[in-house]
Amino acid sequence: MLTRKQLELLEFIDARMKRDGVPPSFDEMKEALQLRSKSGIHRLITALEERGFIRRLPHRARAIEVIRMPETADRRFAPRVIEGGARAAAPAPSPAPPPRGALPVEAAHALELPVMGRIAAGTPIEAISEISHHVAVPGTMLSGKGRHYALEVRGDSMIEAGINDGDIVVIREQSTADNGDIVVALVDGQEATLKRFRRMRGMIALDAANPAYETRILRDDQVQIQGRLVGLIRSY
């Protein structure tokens, strides 16, 4: 799965290759994606190369080859969103319909999940373990038979994955993850953060979904997976 910026860059490179026969310069990429510096482009290029969408040819300037384009279903991560939540106001007498693709929080077979505190989507914060309150979640959102819990998001490092500051994420408790999963990662036993998981060359990369944040590269023994994102609750 690609972030919005990764997909935009891949489509821009592919379009320019088809039009001109050569890839755009880094300055052109930076301008097209409205980034402040070329370092963000370097990170996006690296991510696309590691995911097998492009290949950089050595010893040649501006040598980028598009290997493949993503399947339509895999182009973007779109978390399932529930309208409402613990902070939502009381319903109005004639409420407006929920946004397209959203589920009403009063959906059938709703279950209460513990909100275990706040999770950082940005600079990691202290590990969280105490229940602050509960939130109603439709049973259809919960995946499998495992234990689920919820966390309140703080920070903007996952905004291109559709996860905003103040959202409540629904997490399925598990200790393993596949490449591309958005996970709750406990770093060095004391920092909890929400990031996209990736293994690379014997290390673990925790990728942000915001080019303003650097990827964190850590040893396997520094990272403990505490769950995988399965849904999201947003209050308006």
Side-chain angles (χ1 to χ4, degrees):
M1 292 178 288
L2 298 178
T3 67
R4 180 173 60 85
K5 285 295 185 184
Q6 289 168 0
L7 180 59
E8 285 180 2
L9 180 59
L10 181 60
E11 291 178 337
F12 178 65
I13 294 172
D14 185 58
R16 288 293 297 271
M17 290 286 290
K18 290 176 179 176
R19 190 190 76 181
D20 301 335
V22 294
S25 68
F26 274 58
D27 284 326
E28 289 171 326
M29 295 180 203
K30 178 172 70 73
E31 183 177 349
L33 270 68
Q34 299 181 336
L35 296 181
R36 295 179 181 177
S37 69
K38 287 189 286 187
S39 62
I41 295 296
H42 281 284
R43 288 195 294 272
L44 294 173
I45 289 287
T46 299
L48 289 172
E49 185 174 31
E50 290 175 346
R51 287 163 173 78
F53 291 100
I54 65 172
R55 177 168 56 205
R56 284 185 281 195
L57 305 178
H59 313 302
R60 292 174 57 186
R62 291 175 56 174
I64 297 174
E65 178 183 7
V66 176
I67 300 174
R68 66 185 180 95
M69 296 297 288
E71 298 292 334
T72 302
D74 294 332
R75 289 197 167 199
R76 294 183 188 173
F77 172 82
R80 300 184 64 191
V81 177
I82 300 174
E83 173 89 343
R87 302 181 315 280
S94 301
R100 184 179 180 182
L103 299 173
V105 75
E106 298 83 7
H109 306 108
L111 303 174
E112 282 203 344
L113 291 185
V115 179
M116 304 296 292
R118 294 175 177 175
I119 181 74
T123 304
I125 55 178
E126 288 186 9
I128 41 190
S129 59
E130 295 184 0
I131 298 174
S132 62
H133 58 281
H134 287 75
V135 63
V137 176
T140 54
M141 175 175 283
L142 308 184
S143 61
K145 297 181 180 179
R147 178 176 178 266
H148 292 73
Y149 59 93
L151 296 165
E152 184 178 353
V153 175
R154 279 291 172 261
D156 62 355
S157 74
M158 298 302 291
I159 56 174
E160 291 185 3
I163 303 169
N164 299 332
D165 181 66
D167 287 346
I168 291 179
V169 289
V170 179
I171 305 296
R172 183 182 190 275
E173 190 174 287
Q174 60 186 67
S175 59
T176 60
D178 296 325
N179 282 350
D181 286 348
I182 295 179
V183 302
V184 174
L186 187 65
V187 178
D188 292 329
Q190 57 185 353
E191 300 176 339
T193 189
L194 187 72
K195 292 290 182 291
R196 196 180 297 278
F197 176 89
R198 178 165 52 93
R199 288 192 180 275
M200 52 176 291
R201 297 186 293 274
M203 304 289 281
I204 290 177
L206 298 178
D207 290 322
N210 182 338
Y213 291 82
E214 298 283 350
T215 294
R216 299 187 71 186
I217 308 297
L218 302 159
R219 299 189 312 272
D220 186 86
D221 62 353
Q222 290 181 279
V223 179
Q224 180 182 357
I225 303 301
Q226 295 195 317
R228 178 175 63 86
L229 176 70
V230 296
L232 182 148
I233 300 169
R234 177 167 298 153
S235 295
Y236 295 93

